Amino acid sequence: MILITGANGRPGSAAVREFARQGTPVRALVRDPEKAGDLRALPGVEVAYGDMLWPETLESALAGVDRVLMISSAGPLMLETQCTFIDAAIRAGVGHIVKFSGKDSIDGFDNERFRSSRSHEQIQRYLVASGVPWTVLRPSQFMQVYFEEVPDIVASGELRLPLGDTTLAPIDIEDIARIAYAVLTTPGHEGRTYPMTGPEALTMTDIAGHISDAVGRPVRYRDVTSEEKQRDWLAAGYPPPRASAFAQLFRERSRLGRSTVDLASHEHFGIEPTTFAEFARRNADVFRGATDYTVTPA
Ligand SMILES: NC(=O)c1ccc[n+]([C@@H]2O[C@H](COP(=O)([O-])OP(=O)(O)OC[C@H]3O[C@@H](n4cnc5c(N)ncnc54)[C@H](OP(=O)(O)O)[C@@H]3O)[C@@H](O)[C@H]2O)c1
């Protein structure tokens, strides 16, 4: 049996949906049964409950599992959550852990300067040292993070970010889910790391242009200072640790400025990379503010 953790979240639910689409049975770990309704409706998906921080809650979720796609939130608890889960999975006899990590597309990005990247590095070292066969997926920024800008886009027709003319190479979570499916269902990936980005390095002006074309009205990029954006995030209700981690991330991105596209993983698995224009067209109603972004559509 294959287990996907973080199954109520953005990348986890996309991976579960890919299994359902392919007709391959999968078990989905969630910690909040209230939120798992959409997952339960997917064919071949068995929903299991447990908290990755509390090994005693994971016994039945891990029973009979050979391989895991390990995902949890990028918050301050990620290091403890994933290291605790690795120990529990090994004790339960899991034979292969595929860690969902991250890698910024920015050239020369220093992982030590951003809390999540730093934690991912530490977890990867812990996983490798544990002795269990492992694989690491390292996607760049998700295209879906631009949904967080929808309230501004709808209210003012502006995409407000502190990035100047920095380029980023965001990737569609659906592409990552297809690559994760291939890694989890075919042999030969132990000890390998798969970095991946989207197919283009884009300025925020380019991204605003693609959103504008998709929604059929003007959307302009407005460069703001990191302090202004941090105030916006706090006013929008982001917890302070999240707002300050984002400020760290954006400072490092604009300090360096240029991204490199890496499609080697897409090519290796024969996955056609989704462009931002295609992603924006597919999600035009979300960018119009007409539909909420559903993490796990039924
Ligand atoms: N955002 C990006 O652009 C980006 C790019 C590359 C890589 N990443 C990485 O992708 C991963 C997912 O990030 P995200 O913030 O986008 O995810 P997300 O949508 O918040 O999903 C994370 C999921 O993990 C679950 N989870 C967290 N702690 C748990 C626990 N103790 N036990 C069981 N489940 C738990 C959450 O459950 P609930 O639903 O109950 O909260 C949530 O469903 C992170 O490691 C992040 O660093 C992100």
Side-chain angles (χ1 to χ4, degrees):
M1 175 57 80
I2 294 169
L3 176 72
I4 297 178
T5 75
N8 266 341
R10 296 180 290 189
S13 66
V16 173
R17 272 197 316 275
E18 184 60 22
F19 272 78
R21 223 178 348 250
Q22 300 283 350
T24 306
V26 71
R27 191 177 292 166
L29 180 77
V30 302
R31 61 178 167 179
D32 183 354
E34 298 279 300
K35 290 203 281 178
D38 290 344
L39 288 178
R40 267 193 237 103
L42 295 173
V45 176
E46 179 194 327
V47 178
Y49 304 102
D51 190 313
M52 295 163 80
L53 271 170
W54 298 100
E56 57 277 23
T57 67
L58 295 170
E59 227 168 84
S60 60
L62 284 168
V65 170
D66 322 297
R67 195 169 279 183
V68 175
L69 175 61
M70 180 178 68
I71 309 176
S72 68
S73 317
L77 289 175
M78 183 168 71
L79 175 62
E80 195 183 340
T81 303
Q82 296 197 2
C83 292
T84 304
F85 180 82
I86 290 167
D87 291 344
I90 292 171
R91 275 198 305 276
V94 168
H96 183 187
I97 297 180
V98 178
K99 168 165 170 48
F100 194 101
S101 178
K103 182 180 188 299
D104 213 82
S105 56
I106 289 276
D107 300 339
F109 187 90
D110 180 355
N111 288 327
E112 289 303 311
R113 290 185 186 233
F114 174 48
R115 189 194 59 219
S116 293
S117 311
R118 208 165 46 234
S119 299
H120 279 310
E121 297 293 325
Q122 290 168 305
I123 298 161
Q124 279 162 224
R125 284 197 289 275
Y126 191 84
L127 178 60
V128 171
S130 75
V132 73
W134 56 271
T135 306
V136 175
L137 307 181
R138 302 198 68 182
S140 61
Q141 181 195 50
F142 304 152
M143 290 181 181
Q144 280 76 356
V145 301
Y146 292 90
F147 293 152
E148 294 175 27
E149 310 305 322
V150 165
D152 270 352
I153 293 170
V154 170
S156 63
E158 286 183 344
L159 173 66
R160 293 161 48 88
L161 287 166
L163 281 170
D165 60 359
T166 294
T167 59
L168 294 175
I171 181 170
D172 187 352
I173 283 176
E174 300 298 326
D175 290 9
I176 310 172
R178 287 185 198 112
I179 291 171
Y181 177 81
V183 167
L184 288 158
T185 55
T186 59
H189 308 296
E190 288 85 353
R192 299 195 63 171
T193 297
Y194 292 104
M196 57 193 91
T197 69
E200 303 148 300
L202 301 166
T203 62
M204 294 305 110
T205 303
D206 298 330
I207 286 186
H210 289 310
I211 296 172
S212 178
D213 291 345
V215 300
R217 72 180 189 91
V219 178
R220 276 176 226 89
Y221 173 53
R222 175 139 159 254
D223 188 29
V224 294
T225 64
S226 155
E227 292 72 27
E228 271 177 273
K229 191 64 194 179
Q230 199 162 355
R231 277 198 297 277
D232 287 355
W233 283 321
L234 291 169
Y238 283 31
R242 187 164 189 236
S244 72
F246 275 19
Q248 282 177 356
L249 173 63
F250 280 83
R251 268 197 298 276
E252 182 62 359
R253 284 175 173 162
S254 54
R255 186 177 75 85
L256 296 159
R258 286 277 158 267
S259 280
T260 296
V261 165
D262 181 351
L263 294 178
S265 299
H266 284 81
E267 283 156 14
H268 184 80
F269 293 106
I271 310 290
E272 191 61 38
T274 306
T275 63
F276 200 96
E278 289 162 345
F279 163 78
R281 274 198 298 275
R282 195 178 80 226
N283 292 287
D285 278 346
V286 180
F287 283 115
R288 281 187 195 108
T291 326
D292 282 341
Y293 164 50
T294 23
V295 173
T296 44

